[in-house]
Amino acid sequence: MLWKGKFVKHAITYKDYMNIKDQKRTEDLRDKLNVFWELSGQKILAIDKNYDTSKGSPVFTINGKYTTRGWTEWTQGFQYGCAALQFDVTGREEFLTMARRHTVDKMASHVSHFGVHDHGFNNVSTYGNLLRLMNEGRIPEREWERNFYELALKVSGAVQAKRWTPIKDGGFMYSFNGPHSLFVDTIRTVRVLMVAHKLGHGLMGENDERSSLLHRGVVHALTTAKYSVYYGEGRDSYDTESRTVHECVFNTNDGNFRCPNSQQGYTGYSTWTRGLSWAMLGFAEELEFLETVGDDELEGLGSREEIEAIFLKAAKATCDCFIAKTASDGIPYWDTGAPLLYKLGDDYLEKRSDPYNTFEPVDSSAAVMGAQGLLRLGKYLLDKGDKEGEKYIQAGLLSSESIFSEPYLSTDLNHQGLILHSIYHRPNGWDHVPAGSTIPNGESSMWGDYHAMELGLYLQRLMDDQKYYTFFGSTERA
């Protein structure tokens, strides 16, 4: 079988996608994951012991040591979420203690932070994971502790939803750039609205007007699918194949879309691959989430079939873009239009990625999120009886195999990172270029490491026939 689980029925070989030739199984990754969990535990402990939190949240490594980078505090939840995930897999109480203690001591400001679009990153990774573990019976049921986690998630969802820009055909939660700015990243952070809705919360406004967090979350996702994802349908001169754009710019006076833009990618007309991977994972997860929502809850948004069709179209377009624009081992370069990619040769996508080349860096963190998106979309399709899901499963397993292997897995215990060759902000020049190199390489990021652990947990649970891992497990009380 390609995949361990009830939804696998047969095998198909897809030779035209990345290097999807061998039939892979989740079980094939077991030994690699055993090594990964051993390394992750040691590195989590080392960061907790040695990192000076007074300097700000750890963001990425320089010379193997985590450091901060002033922009917004969007990575702290990943740090403590790693401890929760490590406990989930290993059952070691020291990691649960760490996750609880730091969530209580450090995360309150993130719950009430009105200035960012990152609530789903910081708070679902901490409060959400801890509440999920309680729902699953992995940690003792305590009413006060449950109420604490639930209250944090409810408030976080409402605070995030307050960052709202109405446009002619919907609206969106705007980025830290301001009300004109829609980031593709937020398709993953929108999950905090969905969690808060499931916990019975809404956004209260003037005159006690209540706004549905589910409705805002769905409308935001629909807006992202319409404007941030391109489908090769001729929206502009470069819309000849599927792609994503990091930032969409709107006129806040009349609600009209003005142009694509990019903060962290090369241009608004090429695909920043980490942004692509946020969309891959975000839409796949929201498809899974919609299956838990009643038709009556979607009233006023359009039919379930219409919403699902839009989400599925976006999920497929982004995943197909990843497969078509990624090196043969499932690791993408940082932007599909990066200016020096041509120097790697016309056949560079037919070769394994090269993090040590002299022209353009790869971004392993894009592979980490993208792999989970591919796997979730593949499962979703196979559960619906669509054999095309096997293509996405195989692509996800190929990327996962590379992620959990050298040169991407960091086996050096003196290096605090887990997954090497991550890129943060190439245009700003924030990423460390080691001596003797012309491009950034050899460093890790907190989002890359956290999502590698999420990917590992996702795969581990499938291997071990455990409860399927979702972000909305925090709302599913046993």
Side-chain angles (χ1 to χ4, degrees):
M1 294 195 305
L2 299 181
W3 184 258
K4 188 172 183 179
K6 63 182 180 181
F7 47 90
V8 175
K9 297 176 181 171
H10 54 275
I12 297 176
T13 299
Y14 296 90
K15 295 184 178 180
D16 296 328
Y17 298 89
M18 288 181 351
N19 191 28
I20 309 172
K21 296 178 180 179
D22 300 326
Q23 300 306 311
K24 300 181 185 298
R25 305 173 304 149
T26 54
E27 185 64 31
D28 297 336
L29 296 172
R30 183 177 293 277
D31 289 343
K32 292 182 182 297
L33 284 177
N34 288 340
V35 173
F36 174 77
W37 296 123
E38 182 63 29
L39 290 167
S40 63
Q42 295 180 66
K43 292 177 184 245
I44 290 169
L45 292 172
I47 295 168
D48 190 61
K49 179 180 179 182
N50 297 311
Y51 184 76
D52 182 359
T53 57
S54 68
K55 296 180 179 179
S57 303
V59 177
F60 56 9
T61 63
I62 295 178
N63 293 321
K65 304 300 179 187
Y66 262 104
T67 186
T68 191
R69 179 78 216 195
W71 203 1
T72 63
E73 294 284 327
W74 71 287
T75 59
Q76 195 161 40
F78 293 146
Q79 179 187 2
Y80 307 137
C82 283
L85 298 182
Q86 188 73 17
F87 167 78
D88 192 334
V89 172
T90 67
R92 289 174 58 182
E93 289 287 332
E94 62 188 313
F95 294 106
L96 175 61
T97 299
M98 184 189 302
R100 280 170 158 165
R101 172 168 51 86
H102 288 310
T103 297
V104 171
D105 291 347
K106 309 271 189 3
M107 294 304 297
S109 64
H110 299 292
V111 173
S112 57
H113 196 333
F114 284 91
V116 297
H117 57 261
D118 302 315
H119 281 249
F121 297 149
N122 271 316
N123 298 320
V124 176
S125 302
T126 47
Y127 299 99
N129 273 324
L130 291 167
L131 182 58
R132 175 182 57 80
L133 288 166
M134 184 173 287
N135 286 339
E136 294 173 354
R138 298 291 308 284
I139 61 178
E141 178 69 42
R142 296 187 180 95
E143 183 178 7
W144 69 265
E145 188 175 358
R146 172 178 292 279
N147 291 340
F148 173 72
Y149 298 146
E150 288 188 354
L151 179 60
L153 291 164
K154 290 175 181 178
V155 173
S156 179
V159 169
Q160 185 72 107
K162 182 69 173 174
R163 294 181 65 82
W164 190 251
T165 294
I167 59 174
K168 283 187 173 180
D169 51 358
F172 59 89
M173 291 179 295
Y174 57 87
S175 82
F176 56 58
N177 277 347
H180 64 286
S181 171
L182 166 63
F183 273 11
V184 71
D185 318 24
T186 49
I187 189 58
R188 183 119 210 272
T189 193
V190 75
R191 59 189 182 153
V192 74
L193 276 70
M194 308 314 197
V195 168
H197 167 77
K198 279 289 187 179
L199 294 174
H201 205 53
L203 172 62
M204 301 302 295
E206 301 296 330
N207 301 305
D208 287 344
E209 181 178 352
R210 181 185 176 98
S211 296
S212 165
L213 296 177
L214 173 67
H215 281 215
R216 286 220 168 167
V218 170
V219 170
H220 176 88
L222 292 172
T223 302
T224 302
K226 180 174 182 178
Y227 292 103
S228 301
V229 183
Y230 285 70
Y231 302 94
E233 296 174 348
R235 277 178 59 195
D236 59 38
S237 297
Y238 302 97
D239 184 18
T240 58
E241 56 190 2
S242 58
R243 78 174 201 265
T244 57
V245 59
H246 183 198
E247 182 181 38
C248 292
V249 177
F250 291 81
N251 183 328
T252 58
N253 291 323
D254 61 15
N256 279 316
F257 172 76
R258 300 306 304 159
C259 65
N261 190 31
S262 189
Q263 299 291 317
Q264 290 170 265
Y266 180 56
T267 75
Y269 298 97
S270 62
T271 295
W272 172 51
T273 54
R274 178 149 56 90
L276 174 70
S277 69
W278 288 130
M280 294 165 66
L281 180 50
F283 281 112
E285 283 187 320
E286 295 305 329
L287 281 167
E288 293 175 331
F289 174 76
L290 278 178
E291 297 191 315
T292 73
V293 176
D295 289 343
D296 58 322
E297 296 176 89
L298 297 174
E299 187 175 345
L301 291 169
S303 71
R304 173 184 298 277
E305 291 73 21
E306 290 171 334
I307 297 169
E308 287 180 343
I310 292 170
F311 285 12
L312 182 57
K313 181 180 179 181
K316 282 186 171 182
T318 52
C319 286
D320 287 344
C321 178
F322 183 92
I323 291 171
K325 298 294 185 179
T326 292
S328 67
D329 58 354
I331 307 293
Y333 290 84
W334 75 281
D335 192 292
T336 63
L340 298 183
L341 282 176
Y342 77 95
K343 291 194 173 184
L344 296 174
D346 292 341
D347 61 346
Y348 75 95
L349 293 179
E350 299 174 20
K351 303 174 183 176
R352 295 184 64 84
S353 60
D354 179 7
Y356 301 108
N357 77 83
T358 57
F359 302 111
E360 295 288 357
V362 301
D363 187 358
S364 61
S365 70
V368 166
M369 277 91 76
Q372 191 182 160
L374 289 162
L375 294 170
R376 288 187 183 275
L377 176 60
K379 179 189 181 301
Y380 176 85
L381 291 171
L382 288 176
D383 281 351
K384 301 289 186 183
D386 187 340
K387 299 174 185 177
E388 189 180 15
E390 292 170 357
K391 173 184 74 176
Y392 299 112
I393 293 289
Q394 284 299 296
L397 291 176
L398 174 61
S399 288
S400 299
E401 182 179 55
S402 296
I403 290 160
F404 296 122
S405 304
E406 294 182 280
Y408 292 100
L409 180 65
S410 174
T411 58
D412 181 358
L413 293 181
N414 291 316
H415 195 299
Q416 292 180 342
L418 265 173
I419 304 298
L420 300 175
H421 314 303
S422 176
I423 294 295
Y424 187 14
H425 204 310
R426 179 68 169 148
N428 276 1
W430 287 355
D431 300 279
H432 179 62
V433 179
S437 178
T438 57
I439 62 168
N441 59 57
E443 304 296 350
S444 303
S445 64
M446 191 53 67
W447 61 89
D449 288 357
Y450 172 83
H451 283 91
M453 295 188 69
E454 264 201 0
L455 174 63
L457 175 62
Y458 180 87
L459 291 165
Q460 194 76 53
R461 287 194 167 202
L462 287 168
M463 290 178 199
D464 297 339
D465 294 319
Q466 295 177 338
K467 180 176 171 60
Y468 187 71
Y469 171 59
T470 66
F471 75 84
F472 49 89
S474 57
T475 70
E476 296 175 334
R477 193 166 182 173

